[in-house]
Amino acid sequence: MGRHHVNLHLISDATGETLIAASRAVAAQYHGVCAIEHVYPMVRSHAELEKAIVEIEAEPGIVLFTLVEQDLARRLMEACAAIGAPSLSILAPIMSLFESYIGTAVTPRPGAQHSLNADYFRRMDALNYTLTHDDGLQSDSYEAADVVLMGVSRTSKTPTSIYLANRGVKTANLPFVPDLPLPKSVENLRNPLIVGLLASPERIVQIRANRLLTMNADPESPYVDRRLVAEEVAQSKKLFDARGWPTIDVTRRSIEETAAAIISLHKLHKMKFISAA
């Protein structure tokens, strides 16, 4: 069965991240469908909207939008109806639900979720911390972290750390190296949640082999020896179990799924930490 291509026009008065995430989540449910994304961010005037409408006319498809200005939303829906392109406001049903429950009409504020508020600066602070505490750097200041990730090489520590930072979670990560003792600064950490990341030896070997290939390195390196990798993983798990640190097997998990599990663990960790204080 061949892939069916669908034009997907995503029109936003902000960055378009909400639309992209929502549309990809839905498109992933349709096997054999390839969505060709046309993204139009920061559409806040009629002139900008008309440019998008011209492109929709040229390549008709599904139109999803997050336009809180009613005049713009109305014009887009009318244009889509004339073109024959189905359109949907992603925020409208949610805003309607909020309004019916709260009993207050919405106050349109394009891009409000990206305002420079305390949450924004918290995320930027977390990202700065995470970037400066990657791969074992500055381990003497891990006490300021919310989460410390540990695992053998190629268990997605860095990308998971960055994803968590974008959610406002200060994250440091530390590689597990067989027979190498933990830094003394890590021995008695109290504030951060320490999570061990695990993966099957086969998966780690596959990722490491691809990395060696991109580096034009020796493909017969011990770095990709299946027996040695299995021993690395076993030693890391033994350490995590001995310390009572929670573990997550990332073999078949996406970065987003791993991060979601860590955030849930961190919430429980904070509750225990507060109750023990």
Side-chain angles (χ1 to χ4, degrees):
M1 175 182 171
R3 294 184 69 81
H4 181 53
H5 292 79
V6 176
N7 284 309
L8 190 57
H9 297 273
L10 308 175
I11 304 175
S12 173
D13 52 24
T15 62
E17 292 175 12
T18 301
L19 282 170
I20 292 170
S23 61
R24 288 180 181 176
V26 174
Q29 307 305 312
Y30 292 88
H31 179 70
V33 172
C34 178
I36 303 173
E37 295 176 351
H38 306 264
V39 184
Y40 313 87
M42 308 303 290
V43 175
R44 297 182 180 180
S45 71
H46 281 279
E48 291 164 341
L49 180 59
E50 293 304 324
K51 293 178 183 177
I53 290 172
V54 168
E55 293 196 33
I56 296 170
E57 286 182 306
E59 297 186 83
I62 297 172
V63 179
L64 303 178
F65 62 93
T66 53
L67 300 173
V68 297
E69 289 292 344
Q70 291 304 303
D71 285 348
L72 294 178
R74 191 177 302 110
R75 165 59 185 146
L76 176 60
M77 288 188 290
E78 290 172 352
C80 287
I83 295 169
S87 65
L88 176 69
S89 168
I90 296 298
L91 297 182
I94 302 174
M95 291 167 71
S96 177
L97 184 63
F98 266 67
E99 185 173 336
S100 64
Y101 185 80
I102 298 172
T104 304
V106 66
T107 302
R109 290 192 300 150
Q113 74 270 35
H114 300 293
S115 59
L116 301 183
N117 54 21
D119 180 65
Y120 174 83
F121 289 109
R122 180 174 64 88
R123 288 188 289 113
M124 291 304 99
D125 182 49
L127 187 57
N128 181 62
Y129 179 90
T130 298
L131 291 175
T132 56
H133 291 79
D134 180 46
D135 202 32
L137 293 175
Q138 300 191 45
S139 61
D140 56 342
S141 56
Y142 278 5
E143 191 62 40
D146 296 313
V147 170
V148 174
L149 302 181
M150 192 170 184
V152 304
S153 172
R154 303 298 109 188
T155 47
S156 305
K157 296 185 297 298
T158 294
T160 303
S161 295
I162 293 174
Y163 186 93
L164 286 168
N166 277 306
R167 295 287 300 273
V169 181
K170 284 186 177 180
T171 310
N173 73 77
L174 179 70
F176 173 85
V177 181
D179 303 320
L180 189 68
L182 288 174
K184 290 184 178 179
S185 56
V186 178
E187 291 282 354
N188 300 308
L189 289 176
R190 282 179 42 77
N191 176 63
L193 166 71
I194 303 177
V195 179
L197 300 184
L198 301 168
S200 70
E202 292 76 16
R203 178 58 176 161
I204 292 174
V205 168
Q206 180 185 36
I207 297 172
R208 289 184 180 183
N210 289 336
R211 180 171 174 77
L212 291 180
L213 188 63
T214 62
M215 297 171 62
N216 292 319
D218 180 7
E220 301 300 321
S221 166
Y223 185 61
V224 291
D225 183 287
R226 200 267 178 210
R227 182 183 61 80
L228 295 178
V229 171
E231 181 60 26
E232 280 185 63
V233 175
Q235 285 190 37
S236 70
K237 187 175 188 308
K238 184 177 179 181
L239 171 67
F240 303 152
D241 291 344
R243 298 285 174 148
W245 295 336
T247 61
I248 297 175
D249 189 330
V250 303
T251 304
R252 294 181 177 83
R253 286 180 186 255
S254 66
I255 298 299
E256 294 84 353
E257 290 171 326
T258 300
I262 292 169
I263 289 172
S264 294
L265 288 171
H266 183 243
K267 287 179 180 177
L268 293 174
H269 175 76
K270 284 199 300 183
M271 291 172 62
K272 292 178 182 178
F273 190 76
I274 292 172
S275 62

